[in-house]
Amino acid sequence: MRILHTSDWHLGRMLEGRSRIEEQIKFIDELCQIVEDERVDLVLIAGDIFDTVNPPAIAEELFYDALNRLTSGGRRGVVAIAGNHDNPERLCAASPLAGRQGITLYGFPKDVLQPSFSGHSNNNKVVRRAAGQGWVELHLPECSDPVVLALLPYPSESRLNEVLNSSLDEETLRQDYSKRVQELLALFSKPFRPDTVNLAMSHLFVRGGMQSESERPIQLGSAPTVEAEAMPGCAQYVALGHLHRAQVVKGSPVPTRYSGSPLAYSFSETGYAKSVILIEGFPGQPVATREIFLSSGYPLVKWKAKEGLAQVQQWIDEGKDEQAWIDLEVHVTNVLNSQDIHGLRRQRERLINIRPVFPEMEQITLEARSKLPLDELFRRFYQEKTGGAEPDQELVSMFLTLIDADKNEDKGSCSKDQNIEERVGYEISLRGSTVKAMTDREGAETA
């Protein structure tokens, strides 16, 4: 039996307001070609099919088109579960029709699946021979052996309709949550048999997994991490969704992988290889896995133009990273005007962010490393710009307010020095015109 594992399509997602639907259409085309070329019998989609619980119409149309093409008239199995970005009820709305085409859509962790109608059993189509709460047995036309899947869609407390622990202690809550997930996976794995290919699929965060900035938490109720040991030891393979970097889960008792997202959805994923996982399985034997790399998405790259706008123009003229989405950091001596910005974007439509870096930032960066308080850093910067004048307290407070607004959004794990450097550097580069106005007595009111 040949199985393809994919997840985290995030259909309808944008990049800084720019549509990615063109790339998502190309991904679906590439995926459909892969399943044909590799003679895949079963496709597993491990959650986050959509980017929001209320996806745009074009995203839903693309999903249903993908299902129709992947199942090939009911001759190939497709199983999809809800992730934290999906609306479970909306995802499963088409289940009565989908089931007749070999498609299983599963929304809430405790939903009960039903076998296929006996009148629709057909040797040339996928048949759901048996099913129940959290599991399904499929017979695939090209396979002599059936497959049993244990399914656990995104298991937040609200979707489980359970309060796992009333304690406010994070570690206690995490342990109880991990234990409950382990219990559910073990329960849903009970129908596994020696004569079937036994697989599990879920959408959750296994402790120790490598995250990226594009995984935005959307949940009601707590959903902390799960221990790798919670994976069902009787499964031959566990297909996971949620983390956007393709990776093997270390410490699991069985082969467990995240397939990752098919496209890079933030610049924190620059350089990530995107892929799907092909699994070959037989009853009672270890599975063989192979990573198949994707080429449909445009790369996300970062440009750092230390020689200024002339260097950026040179790269554009040379056709550097012509098909990429670009995050630009450019060293300048003056604030970029709207004409400069529009001129660059007219030449390169996928130029997303343009961040100016001013010479004084280098001095501020050096001072930041000395761990000076932020208000003192600003006072020194102000004195340098005004020839020694002292800023009044209202002006200092205004700057610190701007810094705090960005600090509240910073959930990263960088060191203290890095945080200071990033907050000051980012604030001044992003609000260069504002800071310059703040240092100009005539423009203080505008600032």
Side-chain angles (χ1 to χ4, degrees), residues 222-382:
S222 177
T225 59
V226 175
E227 296 292 344
E229 292 81 3
M231 300 301 103
C234 52
Q236 292 170 262
Y237 179 87
V238 180
L240 295 180
H242 186 57
L243 299 185
H244 290 184
R245 178 183 290 190
Q247 55 194 284
V248 174
V249 174
K250 298 178 180 179
S252 172
V254 295
T256 304
R257 296 185 72 143
Y258 286 98
S259 65
S261 61
L263 303 179
Y265 284 118
S266 81
F267 284 97
S268 67
E269 297 178 62
T270 297
Y272 284 16
K274 296 300 181 177
S275 60
V276 292
I277 309 300
L278 183 68
I279 307 112
E280 188 168 5
F282 298 88
Q285 298 183 26
V287 298
T289 60
R290 175 162 59 92
E291 196 170 9
I292 300 176
F293 294 99
L294 302 169
S295 60
S296 46
Y298 299 136
L300 273 62
V301 301
K302 295 182 179 182
W303 281 3
K304 294 189 177 183
K306 295 187 177 182
E307 298 174 19
L309 287 173
Q311 187 176 30
V312 178
Q313 188 61 56
Q314 179 184 344
W315 289 341
I316 291 175
D317 293 341
E318 293 172 350
K320 180 179 180 181
D321 300 317
E322 195 164 13
Q323 297 298 315
W325 298 100
I326 297 169
D327 177 89
L328 171 63
E329 182 181 285
V330 55
H331 288 237
V332 294
T333 55
N334 296 309
V335 175
L336 291 177
N337 57 46
S338 59
Q339 186 177 353
D340 293 329
I341 294 172
H342 292 323
L344 291 175
R345 288 204 162 117
R346 276 196 302 269
Q347 297 179 79
R348 188 58 69 84
E349 63 177 351
R350 296 193 188 95
L351 186 54
I352 299 297
N353 302 314
I354 301 176
R355 292 192 310 280
V357 178
F358 300 98
E360 54 264 27
M361 284 180 60
E362 297 180 3
Q363 181 62 32
I364 288 184
T365 297
L366 291 174
E367 291 176 337
R369 293 198 181 101
S370 71
K371 302 182 182 180
L372 289 173
L374 288 175
D375 59 342
E376 181 61 27
L377 293 177
F378 178 72
R379 290 179 193 279
R380 295 191 180 192
F381 174 59
Y382 185 94

Side-chain angles (χ1 to χ4, degrees), residues 12-145:
R13 184 158 186 171
M14 307 182 86
L15 179 65
E16 303 291 340
R18 308 291 187 90
S19 174
R20 308 293 299 278
I21 200 69
E22 176 191 350
E23 296 166 88
Q24 292 173 338
I25 290 171
K26 291 181 178 179
F27 157 66
I28 296 300
D29 290 341
E30 185 175 12
L31 181 67
C32 292
Q33 189 61 54
I34 289 172
V35 298
E36 292 293 337
D37 292 344
E38 297 290 345
R39 306 185 312 282
V40 169
D41 302 298
L42 175 64
V43 178
L44 305 180
I45 311 173
D48 278 359
I49 292 135
F50 300 110
D51 191 52
T52 67
V53 294
N54 187 26
I58 192 171
E60 288 194 305
E61 182 180 353
L62 182 56
F63 175 55
Y64 290 124
D65 177 66
L67 291 181
N68 182 54
R69 295 167 64 185
L70 289 171
T71 193
S72 188
R75 292 185 293 275
R76 180 183 298 112
V78 178
V79 180
I81 61 172
N84 56 306
H85 284 253
D86 299 313
N87 180 330
E89 292 172 329
R90 189 164 183 166
L91 177 67
C92 297
S95 288
L97 290 176
R100 301 185 183 193
Q101 296 298 318
I103 301 165
T104 297
L105 304 176
Y106 194 53
F108 285 101
K110 294 181 180 179
D111 282 350
V112 178
L113 288 164
Q114 299 296 330
S116 301
F117 291 114
S118 58
H120 296 289
S121 298
N122 191 314
N123 291 332
N124 296 321
K125 288 190 175 183
V126 176
V127 177
R128 194 187 297 170
R129 287 285 175 83
Q133 186 184 63
W135 69 276
V136 62
E137 178 182 334
L138 301 177
H139 285 234
L140 308 173
E142 302 297 324
C143 302
S144 57
D145 303 305

Side-chain angles (χ1 to χ4, degrees), residues 150-271:
L151 305 174
L152 182 61
Y154 180 64
S156 65
E157 285 184 315
S158 62
R159 296 192 186 183
L160 289 170
N161 197 25
E162 297 179 15
V163 177
L164 301 178
N165 193 304
S166 59
S167 171
L168 297 179
D169 179 68
E170 287 190 13
E171 182 59 23
T172 301
L173 177 60
R174 187 193 62 76
Q175 291 176 0
D176 288 347
Y177 178 77
S178 182
K179 181 180 178 180
R180 182 57 177 146
V181 168
Q182 184 173 14
E183 291 172 351
L184 289 170
L185 287 171
L187 175 65
F188 299 159
S189 300
K190 283 187 175 180
F192 287 172
R193 304 195 308 269
D195 64 330
T196 58
V197 175
N198 300 314
L199 309 172
M201 179 164 61
S202 189
H203 189 94
L204 43 77
F205 184 8
V206 176
R207 192 178 192 184
M210 293 180 287
Q211 300 184 78
S212 66
E213 291 177 5
S214 62
E215 291 121 8
R216 305 190 313 273
I218 295 181
Q219 62 192 48
L220 293 173
S222 177
T225 59
V226 175
E227 296 292 344
E229 292 81 3
M231 300 301 103
C234 52
Q236 292 170 262
Y237 179 87
V238 180
L240 295 180
H242 186 57
L243 299 185
H244 290 184
R245 178 183 290 190
Q247 55 194 284
V248 174
V249 174
K250 298 178 180 179
S252 172
V254 295
T256 304
R257 296 185 72 143
Y258 286 98
S259 65
S261 61
L263 303 179
Y265 284 118
S266 81
F267 284 97
S268 67
E269 297 178 62
T270 297

